[in-house]
């Protein structure tokens, strides 16, 4: 468990991966497989050791945009900078030649790979300048494309957040149609080296860094997976999302929209198995024993809303909604009793003195020695 | 491919717990967390009470509920019919512990189930192991859940995978009395002083285990649940140990 941060995937250096932050590594594929689902060509697979490429990557970045924790990062999106000045900002895909897009355009590998966070950050930065996602009419013919415009999905996903932040619709980013002849479209998304504009110094500095990094490829976490649970889950993307949204809402004089903070409720059906907390991949829900007894503590700001806790609860005692608090809240407090038989601490449901395990053991024994036909008649 | 199974003859079992201790030594178990327990059970009202007991290893179910619930497939059924835990995969969620109807699984970080000092504090570990026992079994094989249990994972009886898996292919009976198979036989079977335990291939109709099950009407625990354990109990006539059964018959 020694991987501190992102490393390029061995198969394709456009993608960088951080195993300790991956929810699938921490909680199993059932906890998260959003990157694999987002891949338009199905070449990304999620396993217990994290993500791996099994075919040729298109570099559209959809997987990284879908990653809730920030374990997966695609090149080209964070490097793009807004131009200065006060002209409207056009966001273009790398396939559109620089001459056509214009020097002022913000260029990203694919508009479908823009993350919500990225757009919100740009909105804040752009201030009153309008943001335009430029539709060149190519998406339907592109391998990474969808039926319509690739940026439409992100605009649709963005709108509830914008209305929750109180941003007037006039300032929302919009799609702007400027069709180009299909014959101009390159077949592949150009490689990052040619696209990311940077000075010579920056270029060489970066090259050295990347060479140093690539000597240590992504390793599968060594030792027991469970050791990850002793480390706090890094959530760079989630933290960045909340920060960007807070800033955006602040421009309208509002607090962080309640729907950004999940809220978890425990019903009295809870039988204290603790499965929920031990299945939570981000440690948003933890169970701690203290002086007051055993406490279920929930940090809304660390919850990515994956719903794992709700899914695993054998009693269906949990409900996930919205409108939580930023600070950690105590959801449930119970006092513990020591089992008369085994001495282990447990949560008594009624005024019991024997823990559920010991009771189950008794039932098992009883089933074993229940009077059989030979004894019953005597 | 064998289908290893165990037969425990309750008419021969005297409740000495030699199996529990042998298992503990073989698998470096903590006191109070033995993979193999002898469960004692008191029945009736004073003065007509009697004590009964039965040894309980993991049943290595044919249809294991623990395997079905594991979110990371850390618990799995091996080719030879053992149910094993891959300690490198297990995330310690304890779902399997709730799912297992026989209660045979242990989580490391729980308070030990006996009155003595916590051995994890007495022999603290400074690596991934949950404790640093004063003795070690020779093998350490985390893929099969063999060795000193690491932190934050669940463990259970492996049917002595490290011994049984070394038996030559095609072996039918692992009989401790036979010098050729003794070293491949599970520790509890080797140790049992009354010879109450048998181990062999359930898939082979000629195996000793199948003969015992057939002659003495072997039963499986909680059979109505459909887990189909691969551990069979021979209960004799009254479903109990002979001494107490004869008292009943008077
Ligand atoms: S989306 Fe991110 S957290 Fe989820 S499986 Fe993929 S890399 Fe892991
Ligand atoms: S006895 Fe329990 S742990 Fe063993 S195989 Fe059956 S369900 Fe799984
Ligand atoms: S505790 Fe380990 S073996 Fe059991 S269900 Fe969870 S991950 Fe699987």
């Amino acid at each position: 468990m020694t991987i501190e941060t992102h490393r390029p995937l061995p198969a394709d250096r456009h993608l960088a991966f951080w195993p300790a932050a991956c929810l699938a590594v921490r909680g199993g594929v059932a906890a998260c497989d959003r990157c694999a689902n987002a891949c338009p060509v199905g070449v990304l697979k999620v396993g217990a050791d994290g993500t791996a490429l099994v075919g040729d990557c298109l570099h559209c970045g959809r997987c990284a945009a879908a990653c809730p924790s920030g374990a997966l990062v695609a090149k080209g999106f964070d490097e793009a900078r807004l131009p200065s000045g006060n002209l409207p900002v056009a966001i273009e895909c790398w396939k559109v030649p620089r001459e056509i897009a214009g020097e002022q355009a913000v260029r990203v590998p694919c508009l479908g790979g823009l993350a919500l966070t990225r757009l919100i950050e740009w909105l804040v930065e752009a201030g009153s300048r309008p943001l335009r996602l430029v539709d060149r009419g190519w998406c339907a013919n592109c391998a990474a494309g969808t039926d319509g415009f690739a940026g439409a999905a992100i605009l649709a996903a963005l709108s509830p957040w914008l209305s929750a932040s109180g941003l007037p619709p006039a300032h929302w980013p919009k799609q702007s149609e400027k069709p180009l002849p299909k014959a101009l479209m390159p077949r592949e998304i150009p490689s990052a080296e040619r696209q990311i504009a940077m000075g010579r110094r920056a270029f060489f500095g970066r090259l050295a860094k990347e060479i140093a990094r690539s000597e240590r490829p992504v390793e599968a976490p060594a030792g027991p997976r469970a050791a990850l649970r002793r480390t706090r889950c890094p959530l760079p993307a989630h933290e960045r999302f909340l920060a960007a949204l807070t800033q955006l809402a602040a421009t309208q004089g509002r607090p962080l929209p309640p729907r950004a903070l999940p809220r978890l409720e425990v019903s009295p059906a809870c039988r204290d198995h603790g499965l929920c907390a031990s299945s939570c991949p981000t440690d948003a829900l933890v169970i701690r024993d203290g002086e007051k007894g055993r406490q279920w503590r929930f940090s809304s700001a660390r919850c990515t809303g994956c719903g794992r806790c709700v899914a695993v609860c054998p009693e269906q005692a949990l409900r996930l909604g919205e409108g939580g608090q930023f600070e950690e809240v105590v959801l449930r407090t119970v006092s513990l009793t020591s089992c008369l038989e085994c001495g282990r601490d447990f949560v008594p449901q009624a005024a019991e003195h024997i823990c559920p395990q010991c009771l189950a053991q008794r039932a098992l024994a009883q089933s074993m020695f229940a009077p059989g036909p030979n004894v019953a008649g005597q | 491919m064998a289908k290893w199974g165990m037969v425990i003859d309750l008419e021969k079992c005297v409740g000495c717990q030699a199996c529990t201790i042998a298992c503990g030594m073989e698998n470096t178990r903590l006191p109070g967390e033995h993979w193999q327990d002898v469960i004692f059970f008191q029945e009736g009202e004073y003065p007509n009470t009697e004590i009964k007991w039965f040894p309980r290893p993991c049943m290595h179910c044919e249809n294991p509920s623990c395997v079905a619930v594991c979110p990371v497939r850390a618990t799995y059924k091996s080719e030879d019919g053992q149910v094993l835990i891959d300690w490198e995969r297990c995330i310690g969620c304890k779902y399997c512990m709730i799912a297992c109807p026989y209660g045979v699984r242990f989580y490391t970080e729980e308070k030990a189930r006996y009155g003595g000092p916590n051995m994890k504090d007495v022999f603290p570990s400074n690596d991934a192991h949950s404790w640093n026992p004063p003795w070690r079994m020779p093998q350490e094989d985390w893929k099969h859940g063999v060795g000193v249990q690491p932190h934050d994972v669940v463990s259970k009886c492996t049917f002595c995978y490290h011994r049984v898996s070394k038996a030559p292919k095609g072996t039918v009976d692992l009989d401790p009395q036979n010098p050729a198979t003794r070293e491949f036989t599970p520790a509890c079977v080797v140790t049992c002083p009354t010879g109450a335990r048998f181990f062999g291939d359930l898939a082979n109709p000629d195996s000793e285990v199948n003969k015992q099950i057939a002659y003495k009407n072997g039963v499986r625990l909680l059979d109505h649940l459909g887990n189909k354990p691969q551990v069979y109990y021979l209960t004799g006539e009254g479903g109990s140990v002979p001494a107490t059964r004869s008292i009943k018959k008077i």
Side-chain angles (χ1 to χ4, degrees):
Chain A
M1 233 39 64
T2 48
I3 299 140
E4 326 76 28
T5 186
H6 292 95
R7 296 280 168 70
L9 281 187
D12 197 306
R13 321 231 354 270
H14 276 80
L15 291 175
F17 182 60
W18 185 358
C22 173
L23 307 189
V25 171
R26 301 182 73 95
V29 179
C32 184
D33 57 356
R34 297 194 210 178
C35 50
N37 287 337
C39 180
V41 283
V43 295
L44 196 68
K45 294 274 174 279
V46 183
D49 297 326
T51 57
L53 276 171
V54 294
D56 286 337
C57 168
L58 301 176
H59 310 147
C60 69
R62 278 188 181 63
C63 50
C67 179
S69 70
L72 200 60
V73 172
K75 220 181 247 186
F77 292 92
D78 285 341
E79 289 84 350
R81 296 266 170 275
L82 284 198
S84 46
N86 46 15
L87 290 174
V89 180
I91 302 170
E92 295 260 17
C93 119
W94 274 359
K95 282 191 171 180
V96 180
R98 211 186 286 269
E99 310 83 75
I100 300 178
E103 281 306 319
Q104 288 290 303
V106 177
R107 302 173 76 250
V108 292
C110 166
L111 296 184
L114 277 174
L116 279 181
T117 313
R118 192 75 270 227
L119 266 184
I120 296 173
E121 284 169 351
W122 278 341
L123 261 177
V124 175
E125 196 183 330
S128 58
R129 285 185 283 166
L131 284 190
R132 297 280 175 264
L133 305 195
V134 187
D135 177 9
R136 296 297 187 172
W138 285 355
C139 294
N141 291 31
C142 172
T146 34
D147 285 347
F149 174 48
I154 169 99
L155 289 179
L158 187 64
S159 56
W161 294 106
L162 298 185
S163 53
S165 315
L167 196 73
H171 291 304
W172 293 12
K174 298 218 169 50
Q175 171 176 352
S176 94
E177 272 157 56
K178 293 188 183 155
L180 280 178
K182 302 229 165 31
L184 279 179
M185 182 175 92
R187 275 176 58 84
E188 276 159 21
I189 299 179
S191 76
E193 284 66 32
R194 302 224 327 268
Q195 295 300 320
I196 299 173
M198 54 175 81
R200 265 209 359 220
R201 269 183 93 131
F203 174 77
F204 283 115
R206 190 178 193 115
L207 194 69
K209 226 191 255 166
E210 291 213 351
I211 290 173
R213 257 203 206 167
S214 61
E215 276 162 9
R216 292 185 301 165
V218 172
E219 309 140 31
R225 187 61 39 93
L228 272 177
R229 291 192 41 209
R230 302 194 157 230
T231 64
R232 202 168 161 84
C233 178
L235 290 169
H238 190 64
E239 282 161 12
R240 206 172 129 188
F241 175 67
L242 291 181
L245 206 59
T246 311
Q247 274 188 1
L248 181 73
T251 61
Q252 307 302 316
R254 296 209 191 181
L256 181 66
R259 69 195 303 269
L261 293 176
R263 177 184 157 126
L264 193 64
E265 284 161 19
V266 194
S267 82
C270 173
R271 286 289 166 274
D272 315 290
H273 303 294
L275 265 178
C276 46
S278 51
S279 304
C280 176
T282 65
D283 9 285
L285 181 64
V286 292
I287 295 179
R288 296 266 179 272
D289 284 351
E291 272 168 29
K292 296 201 190 79
R294 185 165 289 177
Q295 288 190 326
W296 274 243
R297 295 162 162 270
F298 180 64
S299 321
S300 204
R302 292 190 63 76
C303 173
T304 60
C306 71
R308 224 18 228 151
C309 49
V310 177
V312 298
C313 177
E315 316 294 339
Q316 305 187 340
L318 291 172
R319 221 174 61 89
L320 198 59
E322 22 184 83
Q325 277 165 262
F326 206 87
E327 298 77 37
E328 186 176 75
V329 287
V330 177
L331 296 182
R332 178 180 164 84
T333 308
V334 284
S335 48
L336 299 172
T337 312
S338 284
C339 172
L340 278 187
E341 215 153 283
C342 68
R344 211 174 261 181
D345 291 338
F346 75 106
V347 183
Q349 296 305 331
E352 317 159 312
H353 303 291
I354 311 277
C355 73
Q357 282 94 328
C358 288
L359 283 178
Q361 199 153 307
R362 281 189 182 181
L364 182 67
Q366 232 145 9
S367 85
M368 186 75 211
F369 296 111
N374 292 335
V375 187
Q378 65 183 341
Chain B
M1 269 190 345
K3 182 176 153 195
W4 296 120
M6 190 183 280
V7 167
I8 302 175
D9 189 340
L10 296 180
E11 286 194 298
K12 290 189 184 161
C13 175
V14 292
C16 67
Q17 307 190 59
C19 47
T20 303
I21 299 306
C23 173
M25 293 305 287
E26 182 73 21
N27 295 303
T28 7
R29 298 308 300 154
L30 292 148
E33 290 185 19
H34 295 290
W35 285 344
Q36 144 65 49
D37 272 325
V38 180
I39 293 180
F40 285 81
F41 173 64
Q42 185 182 334
E43 209 178 47
E45 300 255 314
Y46 179 83
N48 299 314
T49 62
E50 49 186 331
I51 281 197
K52 295 176 171 183
W53 59 85
F54 70 103
R56 181 200 54 185
C58 167
M59 304 291 148
H60 293 271
C61 307
E62 231 168 274
N63 184 15
S65 17
C66 54
V67 171
V69 298
C70 181
V72 291
R73 314 227 159 185
T75 283
Y76 62 98
K77 185 105 179 136
S78 79
E79 271 198 344
D80 290 339
Q82 293 118 318
V83 173
L84 301 170
I85 306 172
D86 182 344
W87 282 339
E88 284 171 21
R89 295 223 143 175
C90 175
I91 55 171
C93 69
K94 300 192 256 176
Y95 213 146
C96 52
M97 294 179 66
I98 298 171
C100 171
Y102 305 100
V104 304
R105 291 181 162 246
F106 297 90
Y107 181 62
T108 9
E109 261 44 63
E110 238 147 55
K111 195 166 145 191
R113 273 206 247 177
Y114 84 125
N118 191 346
M119 286 300 160
K120 287 172 208 140
D121 299 336
V122 179
F123 301 106
S125 139
N126 46 17
D127 53 17
H129 293 109
S130 62
W131 68 308
N132 181 20
W135 80 94
R136 296 256 176 162
M137 64 186 288
Q139 297 89 356
E140 186 94 354
D141 175 2
W142 287 12
K143 286 251 162 271
H144 298 101
V146 173
V148 181
Q149 187 171 356
H151 278 302
D152 301 286
V153 301
V154 167
S155 74
K156 67 160 191 67
C157 154
T158 62
F159 259 4
C160 278
Y161 176 85
H162 55 288
R163 291 172 153 247
V164 174
S165 60
K166 298 204 184 85
K169 288 267 162 289
T171 309
V172 179
D173 296 316
L174 288 179
D175 178 2
Q177 307 307 330
N178 176 352
T181 55
R182 184 180 167 92
E183 60 176 310
F184 310 123
T185 311
C188 55
V189 182
V190 173
T191 301
C192 182
T194 60
R197 288 176 180 246
F198 302 87
F199 196 86
D201 188 355
L202 288 173
N204 189 321
D206 297 326
S207 61
E208 182 63 26
V209 278
N210 273 335
K211 285 183 199 152
Q212 293 283 345
I213 294 166
Y215 295 158
K216 295 183 81 176
N217 253 331
V219 295
R220 304 185 286 200
L221 245 49
L222 301 181
D223 217 4
H224 59 281
L225 296 180
N227 270 37
K228 301 201 187 147
Q230 284 170 209
V231 174
Y232 286 75
Y233 289 87
L234 310 179
T235 60
E237 279 178 49
S240 179
V241 285
T244 48
R245 196 183 67 241
S246 55
I247 294 170
K248 267 202 165 161
K249 279 198 163 168
I250 291 167

